[in-house]
């Protein structure tokens, strides 16, 4: 099916289509995503940044900051507009009124969950990690001298959720101190419901296990009947959780290395901040500028992005269904599709996709070699090209 044929049932306005349809050549920018297959005819659809230009107000603000010409130290806590912007965004988009001093800026979510391991565990403790999961998240316990215990994702009614029985059992081990969760889930795309989050809270609290919730994808809710619930907003988790967020995935500013943890409990916050001392740098000024603008001037762009991604997801679902041997469960959020390729009957799904000219993320890196993860945060024409190649 051609792009035009597909867009005939798209309700999108033309301006929107043009904005996200633009193919932008990143080959001269050393983009991590594009370097991997440099010189090869393989479409990079792996690492989780999108192919979309950041909103114009962000670009303009960064240019204006560059024009100033001085790039000395900026302490994030003193950069009032970025802090206020986070508070505004959380109140408006996530119904969460926070206090400014709950915000701890970090130069990325990856350092933040590693800091959580260091802050709340001692050598030999165990950390629960939902599986499959983002590779650096899976790696965090071992990096910090801790044991990783995996909590499986299970299929229930056509969607992925946690194996709560396993969670119940693993959390009861007195050595278990921390549960790192990814919500919305990367790679499986589910958003925890109120009931599911309450269950997590109940199990964690009963066993004195802290919850570190990586919510970097929380502004990418595609199923409009679903709502993201930040962990720290739950009264029962207020004093036992840290919530990690960033504007980076949504607004394509991950290269600016800026994110934040929301830690309402003072003692947990102090421990977290102490664990950063000496080796975690401050979030940088460009990231603060971009985050401020993302969370104050880009609401319409954000809505347009979600509409575009919803259409991309519909296309991916339709295409996956039409290829024998591939299977995709319900994706509530993210721009990532966790595709079960076991039905293809090939030994190495990643190699098979690459042989067809498409470069997903290998499922084995997330904990399941039968799968691949496709990043559909790209112009529709690229998506169509990818599936055309897969079907050839
Ligand atoms: C779940 C999750 N957490 C964290 C990150 C990376 O965060 P950062 O670049 O802020 O370290 C990613 C990037 O793909 C991700 O998917």
């Amino acid at each position: 099916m051609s792009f035009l044929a597909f867009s005939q049932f798209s309700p999108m306005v033309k301006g929107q289509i043009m904005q996200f349809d633009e193919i932008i050549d990143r080959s001269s920018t050393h983009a991590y995503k594009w370097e991997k297959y440099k010189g090869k005819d393989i479409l990079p659809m792996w690492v989780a940044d999108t192919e979309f230009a950041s909103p114009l107000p962000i670009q303009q603000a960064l240019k204006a900051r560059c024009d100033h010409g001085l790039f000395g130290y900026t302490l994030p806590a003193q950069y009032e507009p970025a802090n206020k912007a986070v508070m505004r965004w959380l109140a408006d988009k996530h119904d969460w009124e926070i206090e400014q001093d709950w915000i701890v800026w970090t130069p990325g979510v990856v350092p933040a969950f590693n800091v959580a391991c260091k802050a709340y565990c001692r050598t030999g403790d165990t950390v629960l990690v939902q599986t499959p999961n983002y590779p650096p998240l899976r790696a965090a316990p071992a990096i910090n001298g801790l044991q990783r215990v995996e909590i499986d994702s299970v299929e229930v009614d056509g969607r992925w959720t946690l194996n709560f029985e396993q969670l119940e059992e693993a959390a009861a081990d007195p050595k278990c101190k921390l549960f790192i969760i990814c919500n919305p889930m990367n790679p499986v795309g589910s958003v925890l419901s109120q009931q599911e989050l309450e269950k997590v809270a109940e199990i964690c609290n009963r066993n004195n296990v802290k919850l570190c919730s990586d919510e970097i994808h929380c502004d990418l809710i595609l199923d409009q009947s679903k709502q993201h619930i930040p962990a720290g907003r739950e009264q029962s988790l207020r004093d036992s959780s840290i919530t990690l967020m960033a504007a980076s995935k949504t607004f394509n500013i991950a290269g600016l290395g800026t994110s934040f943890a929301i830690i309402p409990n003072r003692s947990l916050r102090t421990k977290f901040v102490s664990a950063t001392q000496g080796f975690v740098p401050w979030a940088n000024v460009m990231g603060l500028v971009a985050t401020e603008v993302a969370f104050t001037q880009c609401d319409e762009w954000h809505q347009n992005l979600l509409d575009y991604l919803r259409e991309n997801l519909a296309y991916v679902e339709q295409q996956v269904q039409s290829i024998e041997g591939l299977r995709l469960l319900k994706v509530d959020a993210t721009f990532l599709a966790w595709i079960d390729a076991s039905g293809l009957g090939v030994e190495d799904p990643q190699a098979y996709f690459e042989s067809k000219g498409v470069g997903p993320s290998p499922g084995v890196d997330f904990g399941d070699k039968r799968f691949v993860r496709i990043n559909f945060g790209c112009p529709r024409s690229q998506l169509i090209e990818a599936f055309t190649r897969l079907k050839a």
Side-chain angles (χ1 to χ4, degrees):
M1 181 191 297
S2 75
F3 166 52
L4 274 181
F6 185 70
S7 65
Q8 272 164 10
F9 60 86
S10 159
M12 250 181 303
V13 294
K14 195 157 180 276
Q16 240 171 273
I17 291 181
M18 287 170 66
Q19 183 178 20
F20 296 105
D21 275 342
E22 192 187 348
I23 303 261
I24 302 171
D25 181 4
R26 300 174 75 186
S27 59
S28 63
T29 64
H30 312 285
Y32 185 40
K33 191 176 180 184
W34 285 83
E35 288 291 313
K36 180 171 178 183
Y37 296 115
K38 208 171 182 172
K40 294 183 182 160
D41 186 21
I42 298 177
L43 280 174
M45 304 186 78
W46 64 294
V47 70
D49 57 31
T50 67
E51 294 302 305
F52 307 131
S54 294
L56 265 186
I58 294 182
Q59 297 181 36
Q60 286 160 350
L62 290 172
K63 281 181 194 144
R65 185 62 187 80
C66 277
D67 287 345
H68 184 260
L70 275 84
F71 305 102
Y73 294 118
T74 305
L75 180 62
Q78 292 172 346
Y79 193 112
E80 190 79 359
N83 287 275
K84 292 283 183 242
V86 167
M87 293 169 77
R88 179 261 155 179
W89 187 261
L90 293 185
D92 272 25
K93 308 293 176 191
H94 299 291
D95 196 18
W96 192 16
E97 301 283 347
I98 63 158
E99 291 176 20
Q100 190 166 331
D101 63 5
W102 296 357
I103 304 171
V104 182
W105 291 90
T106 48
V109 167
V110 173
F113 53 64
N114 278 282
V115 165
C117 287
K118 184 168 176 248
Y120 308 126
C121 305
R122 292 211 189 124
T123 308
D125 283 346
T126 66
V127 177
L128 310 182
V129 174
Q130 150 207 12
T131 301
N133 216 323
Y134 176 56
L137 202 151
R138 286 165 53 74
I143 288 173
N144 294 281
L146 306 166
Q147 295 289 328
R148 180 182 75 206
V149 174
E150 303 198 348
I151 307 299
D152 294 338
S153 302
V154 288
E155 180 180 341
V156 177
D157 298 333
R159 126 182 211 284
W160 294 104
T161 187
L162 292 170
N163 184 333
F164 284 99
E165 280 164 30
Q166 241 178 28
L167 176 62
E168 183 79 65
E169 204 174 304
D173 179 347
K175 279 203 250 154
C176 177
K177 298 288 166 16
L178 184 67
F179 181 20
I180 313 181
I181 195 170
C182 182
N183 179 35
M185 301 178 191
N186 170 12
V188 301
S190 297
V191 181
L192 285 181
S193 67
Q194 178 78 43
Q195 204 187 15
E196 286 168 331
L197 190 60
E198 277 171 15
K199 220 159 154 178
V200 169
E202 196 277 314
I203 295 172
C204 285
N205 288 340
R206 178 157 39 83
N207 292 288
N208 207 13
V209 171
K210 290 172 191 66
L211 184 69
C212 176
S213 184
D214 175 344
E215 304 185 5
I216 197 167
H217 295 279
C218 71
D219 295 310
L220 293 163
I221 305 297
L222 304 184
D223 180 337
Q224 284 165 292
S225 71
K226 298 280 163 84
Q227 224 202 353
H228 174 71
I229 307 162
R233 197 190 83 185
E234 281 298 284
Q235 206 46 39
S236 58
L237 287 168
R238 187 191 175 285
D239 292 317
S240 56
S241 68
I242 71 162
T243 305
L244 308 179
M245 293 178 169
S248 56
K249 296 287 155 193
T250 309
F251 297 95
N252 210 8
I253 51 174
L256 298 180
T258 296
S259 60
F260 50 93
I262 308 291
I263 315 178
N265 180 277
R266 185 189 298 273
S267 155
L268 287 191
R269 197 164 61 241
T270 305
K271 283 187 180 145
F272 184 89
V273 172
S274 300
T276 67
Q277 301 295 319
F279 67 98
V280 180
W282 296 346
N284 80 82
V285 66
M286 289 304 180
L288 293 170
V289 169
T291 304
E292 173 201 343
V293 176
F295 286 169
T296 50
Q297 296 177 39
C298 302
D299 288 32
E300 193 183 333
W301 185 95
H302 177 222
Q303 281 314 311
N304 292 344
L305 170 76
L306 293 177
D307 286 342
Y308 195 85
L309 290 175
R310 284 174 186 130
E311 297 265 332
N312 272 8
L313 174 59
Y315 180 76
V316 171
E317 287 170 339
Q318 180 198 65
Q319 292 299 302
V320 167
Q321 234 174 39
S322 71
I323 300 176
E324 215 182 308
L326 297 186
R327 188 161 176 259
L328 173 66
L329 298 195
K330 170 94 176 11
V331 176
D332 297 333
T334 77
F335 44 76
L336 309 164
W338 181 240
I339 296 173
D340 181 353
S342 56
L344 290 176
V346 298
E347 183 58 32
D348 181 348
Q350 179 71 17
Y352 175 81
F353 271 66
E354 288 176 355
S355 74
K356 293 278 194 173
V358 178
S361 293
V364 67
D365 293 355
F366 295 75
D368 197 328
K369 66 178 187 180
R370 298 169 301 170
F371 286 73
V372 292
R373 190 195 73 174
I374 286 218
N375 175 342
F376 60 84
C378 61
R380 192 141 323 125
S381 57
Q382 185 182 322
L383 212 48
I384 290 167
E385 174 64 21
F387 280 99
T388 305
R389 289 178 177 206
L390 286 175
K391 286 172 144 177

